[in-house]
């Protein structure tokens, strides 16, 4: 049985603003990938999720939410 590789990205604190997230989304529109050969899952912060979800899905990427942490700024999750 052949398996499709998965590439995932958890944004943590990056990008820092909604504007930066929109800029990143525009840059990704210039890049393509073969959806039959790789599954791409992007996990933006909950603040960016409603802004970037439609664009990511339109490019064939899956979108997932990430949890949060009570810790200050940094690469922390809710664990």
């Amino acid at each position: 049985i052949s398996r499709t590789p998965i590439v995932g990205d958890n944004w943590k604190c990056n990008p820092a603003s909604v504007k930066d997230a929109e800029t990143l989304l525009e840059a990704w529109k210039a890049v393509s990938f073969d959806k039959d050969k790789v599954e791409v899952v992007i996990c933006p912060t909950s603040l960016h999720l409603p802004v970037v979800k439609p664009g990511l899905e339109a490019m064939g990427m899956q979108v997932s939410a990430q949890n949060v942490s009570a810790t200050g700024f940094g690469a922390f999750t809710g664990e």
Side-chain angles (χ1 to χ4, degrees):
I1 297 175
S2 108
R3 297 173 68 178
T4 304
I6 298 174
V7 176
D9 180 40
N10 183 333
W11 284 10
K12 302 280 185 187
C13 294
N14 299 301
S17 69
V18 171
K19 184 176 191 260
D20 290 342
E22 291 170 333
T23 300
L24 180 59
L25 189 64
E26 285 303 312
W28 282 347
K29 288 180 180 177
V31 179
S32 65
F33 63 96
D34 188 338
K35 297 166 198 69
D36 293 326
K37 293 184 179 177
V38 65
E39 182 178 338
V40 178
V41 182
I42 305 296
C43 305
T45 65
S46 58
L47 296 174
H48 297 137
L49 187 64
V51 174
V52 298
K53 185 176 186 276
L56 292 170
E57 290 178 335
M59 288 184 278
M61 299 180 191
Q62 295 184 38
V63 182
S64 179
Q66 64 181 13
N67 55 5
V68 297
S69 173
T71 307
F73 187 79
F76 303 101
T77 56
E79 282 75 44

